[in-house]
Amino acid sequence: MNTFVSILVLSAYVTLVLGSNVRELLTPEFYDGLSEKLWGPLGEEKNVSTCIKPFTVKWSEEMIKDLRFRIKNRRAVTPPLEGIAFQYGFNTDNLDYWMDYWANHYNFTEREAYINKYPQFKTNIQGLNIHFIRVKPQVPKDVEVLPLLMLHGWPGSVLEFYEVIPIITEYCEQNGFAVEVIVPSLPGFGFSDGAVRPGLGTIEIATVLRNLMHRLGFKKFYVQGGDFGALTANQMVTLYPDEILGYHTNYPRTLGTKALITWATGSISPFFQNMVVDPALADKMYPLSKIFLGIMEDLGYMHIQATKPDTLGIGMSDSPMALFSWVMQTVSWASRRSNKLKHDGGLHELYSPESIIDNIMLYWADNKFTTAIRIYAESYNKRTFGTGIESIPTEVPTCTVHAKDELSYMPPSMLQLKFTNLLSSLSLDDYGHFFAWEAPEVFTKLVINALVEIRAYHANKNVCHDEL
Ligand SMILES: *[C@@H]1O[C@H](CO)[C@@H](O)[C@H](O)[C@H]1NC(C)=O
Ligand SMILES: *[C@@H]1O[C@H](CO)[C@@H](O)[C@H](O)[C@H]1NC(C)=O
């Protein structure tokens, strides 16, 4: 079984990646075209303003009334099977609680004010109005300020970073620097426009967000990301290694050919396995059959979102209850694997009910579920993998952290093949996929530590150059 699965994974990969036009797309023309490609409606592009407009969220009475009406008039749900928690998906026993909370206890006025607590803006990049938060630290003029682009994923939003922002922008003198954060809604998410034509995957989003940073005057900057934020940042550090000063990710991942072959090699025998991964962490990667079956059991949502996002989006855009269940099933599972066995999905243990609904509101209010999940279809496809970009290494200094319940584990032996300057690669024995949301203080500390390491790396590099 083990060997069989290895062969299966390998051959699927070889077909998908090696069989395509490796690197043909990543020509200089590809880069140039990429940066100017328009994703919004055509016709108005010559006249699009490059100004940066302040933005505040304003939920209309009409939207809230309609939402409450839909919640109130929902149909009765099918009860779960006897003895079942979340194994079949969201446990419907909990839905009345959540729907009642959303319609009758969630204070829209208060939560709208919470979402508006930081300066927010919109600016048009490549035809799309991109929403972002920008918070500057309060520091004396002579303090060095590091610009940090922070990228959320699915099914999250800029709100994942809301409790991180005040901590990370607080100046701590012993670090020798302060941090300014730029937190955009990915295109199609939250308050950012979605594309009107196909092709806006992680490679293309990387150029949009790099152009956003240029618009804000940052020619060089640091980047942090998890989930799709990390997949997008991976492309940024590959496409623009001279502009990205450093990279921190809590979703360390590479699907480069050599990395995958390394993974498969580890399954041949214990000898090879020890070469690939620290024995204490080996059960996060092997046996491959267990990992593969885990994927089959829990990643169905990914396949449907990567292939038929629009059909799924019809129901999610029409029913607050369906949207809530679909999103929170994933949040539950991705936070802790053991949540599947909990009747309430373990949601109350990690997140406040307000923060759960806040995040759902960013999909409901502007009807963004469909445009958001199209990121799967636009990124997990032959076009993207066919560029061979996953196999292109980058020298951008990189620090990674792996939470205990993160979706997959990749050891330094694999990550180094992509991130040739892997400065640190931590593995924690706590926390889950939504690290920043769940544990903002720990998360912030690790990001700051990474920035310290990266700055030390640059300082040493410069010293060496001087001596030469
Ligand atoms: C450009 O925008 C301005 C102001 O919105 C408008 O008056 C003008 O007609 C537009 N021009 C074109 C070519 O669309
Ligand atoms: C909602 O919050 C606002 C602002 O804090 C407050 O004035 C209002 O009374 C609250 N509404 C309810 C129903 O509690």
Side-chain angles (χ1 to χ4, degrees):
M1 183 64 187
N2 204 353
T3 318
F4 169 72
V5 173
S6 319
I7 292 167
L8 199 72
V9 169
L10 256 181
S11 50
Y13 194 73
V14 167
T15 314
L16 190 67
V17 177
L18 302 183
S20 317
N21 306 325
V22 174
R23 300 197 191 180
E24 198 168 290
L25 288 175
L26 280 184
T27 55
E29 295 73 36
F30 178 76
Y31 283 74
D32 289 349
L34 205 57
S35 195
E36 275 134 45
K37 197 156 175 174
L38 294 168
W39 299 105
L42 295 179
E44 291 289 316
E45 64 272 19
K46 294 271 183 298
N47 208 14
V48 163
S49 157
T50 56
C51 75
I52 298 163
K53 295 184 190 130
F55 172 78
T56 45
V57 180
K58 186 78 197 95
W59 289 333
S60 71
E61 278 304 315
E62 198 187 343
M63 182 275 288
I64 296 169
K65 206 173 135 197
D66 169 76
L67 170 61
R68 286 188 166 134
F69 177 84
R70 286 169 197 261
I71 293 175
K72 183 159 175 271
N73 292 286
R74 68 191 186 275
R75 290 181 76 181
V77 289
T78 306
L81 294 168
E82 287 175 8
I84 287 300
F86 265 58
Q87 298 95 326
Y88 281 62
F90 199 96
N91 188 309
T92 52
D93 283 348
N94 295 291
L95 274 176
D96 282 344
Y97 162 81
W98 282 109
M99 293 304 108
D100 174 58
Y101 181 85
W102 193 356
N104 304 316
H105 302 285
Y106 181 79
N107 187 327
F108 289 88
T109 315
E110 207 173 87
R111 300 316 293 171
E112 186 186 73
Y114 174 79
I115 295 171
N116 282 326
K117 74 190 271 194
Y118 303 118
Q120 299 173 83
F121 307 88
K122 279 191 181 187
T123 190
N124 196 289
I125 308 283
Q126 295 175 250
L128 301 176
N129 291 311
I130 300 296
H131 162 256
F132 64 97
I133 290 157
R134 179 177 185 181
V135 179
K136 299 179 187 192
Q138 299 298 317
V139 284
K141 274 211 160 62
D142 57 341
V143 174
E144 186 189 353
V145 176
L146 312 185
L148 176 66
L149 177 69
M150 303 189 86
L151 303 177
H152 70 82
W154 189 89
S157 62
V158 293
L159 295 170
E160 289 177 54
F161 297 114
Y162 260 49
E163 298 303 315
V164 168
I165 291 170
I167 322 176
I168 204 165
T169 54
E170 197 178 316
Y171 175 48
C172 173
E173 208 175 329
Q174 72 185 53
N175 292 336
F177 61 84
V179 179
E180 169 171 358
V181 293
I182 297 89
V183 189
S185 293
L186 297 183
F189 286 73
F191 308 106
S192 286
D193 291 351
V196 301
R197 63 188 62 86
L200 186 61
T202 50
I203 296 178
E204 296 78 12
I205 294 173
T207 70
V208 169
L209 298 179
R210 176 261 198 168
N211 287 343
L212 169 68
M213 292 304 273
H214 280 210
R215 171 81 44 89
L216 303 182
F218 300 113
K219 297 280 186 227
K220 295 193 177 208
F221 52 94
Y222 296 79
V223 62
Q224 201 288 329
D227 194 80
F228 262 99
L231 303 185
T232 302
N234 279 2
Q235 316 289 34
M236 282 182 129
V237 296
T238 312
L239 293 170
Y240 310 110
D242 298 335
E243 297 179 19
I244 316 292
L245 292 164
Y247 176 30
H248 178 267
T249 177
N250 54 302
Y251 189 56
R253 214 179 72 139
T254 169
L255 294 179
T257 312
K258 283 185 196 163
L260 289 180
I261 289 172
T262 303
W263 193 353
T265 306
S267 70
I268 295 172
S269 75
F271 171 78
F272 285 108
Q273 189 171 301
N274 288 342
M275 282 170 54
V276 173
V277 60
D278 178 345
L281 298 166
D283 70 335
K284 292 181 184 295
M285 298 175 67
Y286 302 106
L288 277 184
S289 54
K290 185 187 78 180
I291 305 298
F292 186 74
L293 291 176
I295 289 174
M296 294 295 281
E297 196 172 306
D298 290 314
L299 292 187
Y301 78 92
M302 184 180 287
H303 198 169
I304 187 78
Q305 293 186 169
T307 52
K308 299 293 177 282
D310 288 21
T311 313
L312 183 66
I314 294 167
M316 302 302 155
S317 308
D318 203 49
S319 161
M321 180 163 66
L323 173 69
F324 181 89
S325 319
W326 184 264
V327 166
M328 292 316 293
Q329 167 205 282
T330 304
V331 170
S332 164
W333 164 78
S335 298
R336 295 288 185 280
R337 258 356 66 72
S338 58
N339 278 349
K340 253 204 285 192
L341 303 175
K342 293 180 180 165
H343 198 245
D344 69 349
L347 295 174
H348 284 287
E349 294 160 30
L350 298 174
Y351 315 108
S352 71
E354 288 89 359
S355 76
I356 285 175
I357 302 290
D358 290 345
N359 185 54
I360 300 284
M361 283 300 291
L362 262 64
Y363 289 88
W364 180 265
D366 282 15
N367 200 359
K368 284 296 184 21
F369 181 85
T370 307
T371 52
I373 62 165
R374 282 182 184 152
I375 195 172
Y376 283 81
E378 300 296 10
S379 305
Y380 288 124
N381 54 39
K382 213 169 160 174
R383 175 179 55 81
T384 300
F385 286 110
T387 60
I389 194 168
E390 290 282 346
S391 296
I392 302 176
T394 172
E395 290 185 357
V396 172
T398 299
C399 297
T400 70
V401 58
H402 180 272
K404 179 167 180 271
D405 273 81
E406 189 48 273
L407 307 188
S408 59
Y409 176 70
M410 292 205 172
S413 63
M414 285 171 70
L415 295 173
Q416 270 160 359
L417 298 166
K418 169 81 183 175
F419 309 103
T420 56
N421 284 316
L422 187 67
L423 305 185
S424 63
S425 193
L426 292 180
S427 184
L428 308 179
D429 50 18
D430 200 356
Y431 314 112
H433 185 67
F434 303 95
F435 195 176
W437 183 10
E438 176 190 336
E441 295 198 353
V442 185
F443 174 87
T444 302
K445 198 160 178 281
L446 293 171
V447 176
I448 293 285
N449 289 350
L451 293 175
V452 169
E453 267 184 272
I454 293 166
R455 273 179 93 242
Y457 165 87
H458 285 301
N460 284 338
K461 211 174 69 173
N462 290 340
V463 169
C464 288
H465 279 299
D466 291 348
E467 282 167 359
L468 285 173

